[in-house]
Amino acid sequence: MNLLCAALLVAIAVPAAAQETAQPSQPGQPAQVTTLKEVTVTGSRIKRTDLEQALPITIIEKQKIDAQGITSAEQLLQFLNIAGNGADGLTSAAVDMDLGELRGTAGVSGANLRGQGSDATLVLLNGRRVATHGLRGQAVDLNSIPFAAIDRVEVLRDGASAMYGTDAIGGVINFITRTDYRGVTLNAGVDVTADGGGGITTYSVLGGIGDLDRDGWNAWGTINYRRAQILRSGQRDFANSFQPDRGVSPDTRGTPFATVTNAAGGIINDSLTDPDGGNAMRYINILNLPGGAGCENGGANMGPYDYRLWDGGSSKYACAWDYPAAQALQQPQDSVQFLGHATRKLGGDHEFYVEAMSSRVKVRREYEPLQLTSSASSTAVLDPSTWYPLNADTQPTYDMIYNAIADYFGTGDLVYGNKIPYRWRCIPCGRREIETTTKAYRLLAGVKGSIGRWDYDVGLSRASSKAESVLAGGYYFSSGLKQALGSGLLNPFLMPNEAQNPAGISALQAASATGIHLYGGESTVTSLDASFSGGLGFSLWGGEAQLATGFEARREEFEFGGVQELNGLPLNYDTIYQAPFDETSELPKVHRNVKAVYAEVYLPIVKTLDVTLAVRRDQYDTFGGTTNPKYSFKWQPIESLAFRGAYSTGFKVPEFTKLFAGVNEVEYFGLDLADPASCPGGVANSTVPGCELIQPTIITGGKTDLQPETARQKSLGFVYAPTPRFNLSLDWWEIERSNTIRSPNLPTLIENYDLFAANWIRDSSGKVTAIDRRFINSGGTLMSGVELDANLTGELAGGRWHVNLNGSYINTFKEKPLANQPYSSNEVGEYVQFYNLPLKWKHTLSLDWSKGDWTHTLSQIYRAGYKDEEPISVANGSYIPPNWNPDVDDYILYNYSLNWTGLPNTKLSFAVRNLLNTDPPFTAHQVDFASGAAWEPRVADPRGRSFYLMAEYTFD
């Protein structure tokens, strides 16, 4: 038994960033195992030593978090191999917020275990819920967690609805703070990158008074400040989408030196005939005409439009602009977090405690400047009145454009005097910026203690997350913008060495919408809970049976303010040009009440076998009731080997926004879509009849008839410890979700057109005008994998070394569109838009060596490659770039850290992340529907090599 306990002490506490061994007093002696007091561990309500768990739990201690230079909960999740590869963080936030399902996600960093999504991973603070983010109410924002107060993090790698209710399908992350503290600790850290940008600074103060044992009370508090600086794409060479030979090139003809279009009534009559081949040309940039100055000279990040890659022959003479390179790789963030805790002994074994958590997080989300596209419609914002006119002030520029086009194409299809429609990237407009401020709190009061042989804990809490987004730059009232454009004061045809008319800049500034409130919301949860645990008074052959039972009464509330008005003017996408308002999702305060009871029984059948049975009943006043059981076991046939396994069911209720969000309509701007009714596969190809490009309206929003999701989770594994120096744990798991709530993506709607024909909305002629992508209860997902953890220790040169391998293998990821349909083929190792990217293998391999006051750690971070998204021309077979490679490379990093405690009360940590300054692997995914220009933020860290230094001093 001692061998396995020693191994479990390492195996439970080591994975990923956590590498914790049982240390001997002197090198050469066997590892000493400390007898641990009984504690409650995440996933169970019964107190026992944390070595006896039948469930797979990862415990990450504070000292290991500090040693790795981790300064936030989001960074911690990046180190965990069990965390999914989802677009849940500040480096995945560059996708345009015009996409309906992404509205209201600014500034949110979510936890995503086993690829189930941040809305199916339960986040706890000291074992109790915190409020989900105020704008969408779908996931807890990790930025609100008071990270400086964290003592350890427990990650339950298993479903836990039988203990915690909804959302615990992927697992549970429990941030646990210290229980008492005396003294004062100051901490400061700085993290700078070798190539500039993206720096991080942290400061924290922790102070506490009162001896709980001697004085009968203790109170402590901590405040933490963290600033993450912006990292722009222009600061990293790999963030370059002008790599057409490899399959990636920006799909925009909106350039700093504008491209002329053939909008009806403009200078071009229908189209121009290309003297070279006779094809019709509809987009012309005079810089790209034969003899022209060249697109590259028209402004920073300009280049030729790769019409072959995008199957757009009519844009042969257009230019493009690397708009992804104008986006931020890491959004800037300022956060202040506070947590205070006070405990008072009431006599005997009873304690009264109060806890207060508060945070303010400010994130500024930055995008490329507006793209202005002329429209022939009289109802459009950029109607013909805004086109570039011919007048005394504009004639030199007008004639330059006319003459350049006429010199190559002739004058037959040109109308001198007509206004010039264009597509222009408005660099004078400045970057678009949206600032989101989130204020969160949780107040908790409770009593806990023992009555006889039974322990109890009763608590009342209220938590809130309130967020507000405002326009912080780059957006303009449409009326003023139209006037500035239509007058010709703003010139879209200027070279880099030419300046705009000051009058035009003044008119633009007068139309600025900076400071306008975009939307805001608040999510709150009020909870009364109680738990009781103790012995049942009878014993089986392996020991005394134990019971934990309890109840929870919870009220969840949400409100969202999307309707905005200024002096009687409704504010929306049209009145402030392209501002991503969400007026259709206006939602007065709604609520639901939840009542739950649960029970857990621990049965030590014999010395080598124990079984735990748990069940929870949740009753919603909106969806009715659901009962979810969990069965787990641990069997130890010999001293060095233990088997463990579990089966459970889970559920997840739809969030308020998925139920009540209004309908959003956004034009589809991709160049890859065809009508699947006439073009099987739905891939646009101008050379195939019926496969012509379509660009319908995309409809997103909520549905009030959504039902809860359900899930079944299974796990089976073992821990093997033949010697105190070596142990190995292996756990297989499977999660099958049914009735999953998803916004159906286009590939699903195309591949299953017969099932979703009604989602393709058509006009009287049969033309597709819109696609309905509102949330539905889809069929489900099936995901399975294996998690590995191995540890080896020994002595060298008077110190002690420790090797840890922690890995996650995904074996299966399948989806089905409806319940009665079969699962898809296995998508592991394939590119997936938006949600989780299912990588086949991830691991962390680390080597520690400790001697005296010094500890060195060298680690390797590995992320497997995958099949890339195919460019449009590759998908339809019209053109294969010469250096196209369908395989994305593996991503491998090496990190080093050094910790020293040679001075009294002092701790110094130094770390170098990404020692070799390895760039993220190249990917050709379409940047209109994912973050990252030629790189994937769900896999890689854009900061490159960085240096971290932390100093901590404690006053006794």
Side-chain angles (χ1 to χ4, degrees):
M1 184 66 177
N2 289 339
L3 269 179
L4 190 60
C5 286
L8 284 171
L9 181 60
V10 178
I12 291 176
V14 164
Q19 295 131 26
E20 183 79 10
T21 65
Q23 297 282 346
S25 57
Q26 296 292 333
Q29 295 181 355
Q32 298 176 352
V33 180
T34 303
T35 300
L36 302 181
K37 68 178 181 179
E38 291 188 340
V39 295
T40 301
V41 180
T42 303
S44 174
R45 303 284 188 176
I46 296 175
K47 284 190 174 182
R48 65 189 93 171
T49 69
D50 62 351
L51 306 180
E52 297 173 349
Q53 294 300 302
L55 303 176
I57 298 176
T58 299
I59 300 177
I60 308 128
E61 301 288 347
K62 176 177 172 55
Q63 67 185 68
K64 292 303 176 182
I65 294 173
D66 292 341
Q68 295 285 349
I70 297 171
T71 60
S72 70
E74 179 185 358
Q75 280 187 329
L76 176 64
L77 267 292
Q78 293 172 354
F79 277 79
L80 295 179
N81 297 305
I82 56 174
N85 305 288
D88 304 303
L90 295 180
T91 59
S92 302
V95 178
D96 199 320
M97 288 173 66
D98 286 352
L99 297 172
E101 61 265 40
L102 298 179
R103 292 187 180 184
T105 62
V108 180
S109 298
N112 174 11
L113 292 183
R114 286 179 169 171
Q116 300 304 304
S118 57
D119 59 346
T121 299
L122 182 60
V123 176
L124 305 175
L125 178 62
N126 290 328
R128 289 183 166 95
R129 291 175 180 264
V130 292
T132 54
H133 193 259
L135 288 186
R136 299 297 288 177
Q138 294 183 7
V140 172
D141 181 17
L142 296 179
N143 299 311
S144 66
I145 299 296
F147 205 67
I150 300 302
D151 182 63
R152 69 184 187 276
V153 180
E154 295 182 354
V155 182
L156 174 62
R157 311 190 314 273
D158 205 12
S161 287
M163 283 291 98
Y164 300 107
T166 185
D167 303 338
I169 292 176
V172 180
I173 300 179
N174 190 5
F175 293 91
I176 300 174
T177 65
R178 61 188 78 236
T179 56
D180 65 274
Y181 181 75
R182 287 179 296 155
V184 176
T185 297
L186 304 179
N187 182 293
V190 60
D191 188 341
V192 297
T193 61
D195 297 323
I200 300 172
T201 54
T202 60
Y203 307 94
S204 67
V205 179
L206 169 66
I209 56 174
D211 187 308
L212 192 58
D213 294 325
R214 185 187 63 203
D215 304 326
W217 64 277
N218 176 261
W220 61 269
T222 181
I223 187 168
N224 177 70
Y225 172 76
R226 183 177 187 269
R227 165 170 286 185
Q229 298 175 332
I230 193 169
L231 175 62
R232 293 193 168 95
S233 294
Q235 296 175 283
R236 296 295 182 268
D237 293 338
F238 62 79
N240 170 24
S241 59
F242 269 120
Q243 302 183 61
D245 62 313
R246 304 175 73 181
V248 63
S249 187
D251 174 28
T252 179
R253 286 146 293 188
T255 47
F257 187 101
T259 296
V260 179
T261 73
N262 70 327
I267 191 173
I268 298 175
N269 183 20
D270 188 29
S271 64
L272 300 172
T273 301
D274 185 5
D276 180 18
N279 294 322
M281 298 292 112
R282 295 182 174 85
Y283 296 87
I284 308 295
N285 195 302
I286 66 171
L287 301 181
N288 203 28
L289 291 173
C295 295
E296 296 85 350
N297 295 313
N301 298 324
M302 274 188 65
Y305 182 81
D306 198 292
Y307 64 95
R308 295 173 301 176
L309 195 65
W310 293 104
D311 191 24
S314 64
S315 300
K316 176 181 177 180
Y317 297 107
C319 292
W321 186 66
D322 194 357
Y323 60 96
Q327 297 171 346
L329 300 181
Q330 174 181 283
Q331 306 293 338
Q333 178 198 84
D334 281 293
S335 63
V336 179
Q337 303 156 337
F338 167 80
L339 191 138
H341 186 97
T343 306
R344 175 76 182 185
K345 283 195 171 183
L346 301 177
D349 295 324
H350 308 283
E351 295 177 356
F352 170 75
Y353 59 89
V354 293
E355 183 178 280
M357 181 274 285
S358 178
S359 67
R360 190 204 67 182
V361 180
K362 183 176 292 186
V363 175
R364 183 173 287 240
R365 201 168 180 178
E366 186 177 286
Y367 309 92
E368 68 277 11
L370 288 167
Q371 176 175 272
L372 307 180
T373 301
S374 299
S375 173
S377 171
S378 61
T379 61
V381 173
L382 300 183
D383 60 24
S385 71
T386 66
W387 299 1
Y388 195 69
L390 173 60
N391 57 42
D393 294 328
T394 64
Q395 184 167 0
T397 297
Y398 187 99
D399 288 347
M400 175 186 69
I401 299 299
Y402 180 88
N403 292 334
I405 297 175
D407 288 346
Y408 184 69
F409 291 99
T411 60
D413 292 313
L414 295 177
V415 182
Y416 186 85
N418 279 7
K419 293 182 178 182
I420 302 177
Y422 53 81
R423 184 167 290 181
W424 178 39
R425 185 65 61 173
C426 184
I427 302 300
C429 293
R431 294 184 176 92
R432 290 175 292 160
E433 299 180 15
I434 294 174
E435 186 174 270
T436 299
T437 302
T438 304
K439 298 178 181 179
Y441 73 82
R442 191 184 75 175
L443 303 175
L444 168 66
V447 290
K448 63 180 180 179
S450 300
I451 301 176
R453 301 174 59 205
W454 282 72
D455 300 314
Y456 71 91
D457 189 348
V458 181
L460 175 65
S461 66
R462 181 171 176 84
S464 166
S465 173
K466 187 175 184 178
E468 177 190 32
S469 292
V470 299
L471 302 179
Y475 290 95
Y476 298 88
F477 284 94
S478 296
S479 57
L481 180 63
K482 291 178 66 172
Q483 184 176 358
L485 294 172
S487 65
L489 293 176
L490 285 177
N491 188 346
F493 303 103
L494 292 180
M495 295 296 284
N497 59 342
E498 299 176 310
Q500 289 285 345
N501 185 333
I505 298 298
S506 296
L508 192 63
Q509 292 173 344
S512 173
T514 297
I516 292 295
H517 183 274
L518 192 60
Y519 40 56
E522 183 176 15
S523 171
T524 60
V525 56
T526 305
S527 179
L528 172 65
D529 64 86
S531 63
F532 309 89
S533 64
L536 287 174
F538 69 89
S539 296
L540 301 175
W541 296 273
E544 185 181 14
Q546 298 182 56
L547 170 71
T549 186
F551 70 85
E552 180 184 18
R554 190 171 74 247
R555 183 181 180 91
E556 299 172 351
E557 300 170 285
F558 182 77
E559 60 182 318
F560 184 83
V563 174
Q564 310 299 328
E565 187 176 286
L566 180 66
N567 298 328
L569 174 70
L571 302 181
N572 53 46
Y573 191 83
D574 291 328
T575 55
I576 297 181
Y577 188 64
Q578 291 189 358
F581 287 94
D582 203 0
E583 66 275 11
T584 61
S585 295
E586 175 81 11
L587 185 62
K589 181 176 287 188
V590 291
H591 72 272
R592 60 187 172 212
N593 297 316
V594 187
K595 299 175 182 178
V597 293
Y598 60 86
E600 178 187 9
V601 179
Y602 171 66
L603 301 173
I605 307 298
V606 294
K607 292 293 185 182
T608 59
L609 175 65
D610 61 65
V611 175
T612 301
L613 309 175
V615 65
R616 177 175 171 125
R617 172 71 179 181
D618 287 83
Q619 189 71 36
Y620 283 75
D621 61 359
T622 50
F623 297 105
T626 175
T627 301
N628 292 275
K630 183 162 190 171
Y631 317 98
S632 60
F633 77 92
K634 187 187 72 174
W635 177 47
Q636 187 180 345
I638 58 176
E639 181 183 11
S640 60
L641 179 64
F643 295 93
R644 60 190 179 190
Y647 171 84
S648 64
T649 65
F651 75 102
K652 190 178 87 67
V653 298
E655 298 85 351
F656 291 114
T657 49
K658 291 179 179 177
L659 289 167
F660 303 115
V663 173
N664 284 307
E665 298 184 358
V666 177
E667 296 302 315
Y668 183 77
F669 42 79
L671 298 177
D672 57 342
L673 185 61
D675 185 348
S678 59
C679 182
V683 177
N685 188 335
S686 59
T687 65
V688 178
C691 291
E692 294 82 8
L693 171 69
I694 62 172
Q695 293 181 309
T697 298
I698 302 297
I699 299 173
T700 58
K703 285 187 175 180
T704 57
D705 59 353
L706 294 175
Q707 296 299 309
E709 299 183 20
T710 59
R712 293 187 298 172
Q713 296 109 329
K714 308 171 187 175
S715 66
L716 183 64
F718 69 87
V719 179
Y720 178 56
T723 74
R725 298 184 183 277
F726 171 75
N727 64 76
L728 170 71
S729 67
L730 196 70
D731 290 284
W732 169 86
W733 58 271
E734 179 183 275
I735 300 174
E736 184 173 24
R737 294 171 68 174
S738 301
N739 227 25
T740 52
I741 301 170
R742 288 286 184 267
S743 172
N745 57 33
L746 287 177
T748 297
L749 295 176
I750 293 170
E751 293 169 10
N752 303 277
Y753 175 76
D754 291 341
L755 297 175
F756 293 103
N759 291 60
W760 299 77
I761 301 170
R762 303 173 183 275
D763 61 16
S764 58
S765 68
K767 177 184 177 182
V768 176
T769 58
I771 301 175
D772 187 351
R773 290 190 54 213
R774 288 179 294 168
F775 288 109
I776 62 171
N777 284 109
S778 62
T781 61
L782 177 65
M783 198 167 184
S784 66
V786 176
E787 291 159 358
L788 165 71
D789 191 77
N791 299 275
L792 183 65
T793 62
E795 290 82 35
L796 177 66
R800 187 170 183 84
W801 57 266
H802 169 220
V803 176
N804 169 249
L805 172 63
N806 179 267
S808 174
Y809 175 82
I810 304 299
N811 177 65
T812 304
F813 176 60
K814 298 180 178 181
E815 301 176 278
K816 56 181 178 181
L818 294 174
N820 59 352
Q821 297 297 308
Y823 279 110
S824 66
S825 60
N826 195 356
E827 298 178 39
V828 173
E830 302 285 340
Y831 179 83
V832 176
Q833 280 186 359
F834 291 131
Y835 302 113
N836 186 65
L837 184 60
L839 301 183
K840 184 176 287 290
W841 174 253
K842 304 193 296 182
H843 77 241
T844 302
L845 176 63
S846 62
L847 169 64
D848 291 348
W849 183 75
S850 301
K851 182 180 180 181
D853 301 322
W854 300 86
T855 300
H856 302 260
T857 301
L858 179 66
S859 59
Q860 180 198 67
I861 311 296
Y862 176 87
R863 303 291 182 258
Y866 55 94
K867 292 293 183 183
D868 206 352
E869 182 180 28
E870 292 184 345
I872 291 174
S873 66
V874 174
N876 66 24
S878 62
Y879 170 71
I880 308 297
N883 293 317
W884 159 249
N885 183 353
D887 297 313
V888 177
D889 291 337
D890 302 337
Y891 183 54
I892 305 174
L893 299 182
Y894 293 90
N895 300 331
Y896 168 76
S897 66
L898 172 65
N899 293 273
W900 182 66
T901 56
L903 291 176
N905 303 332
T906 301
K907 179 169 65 175
L908 297 176
S909 297
F910 172 73
V912 183
R913 291 203 197 95
N914 196 347
L915 275 167
L916 304 182
N917 206 18
T918 302
D919 286 340
F922 172 82
T923 168
H925 67 243
Q926 294 187 45
V927 293
D928 283 339
F929 307 105
S931 299
W935 72 285
E936 176 55 75
R938 291 178 292 178
V939 174
D941 182 352
R943 299 173 72 239
R945 183 188 294 126
S946 66
F947 305 92
Y948 171 77
L949 180 63
M950 185 272 288
E952 182 176 285
Y953 185 81
T954 299
F955 298 88
D956 294 331

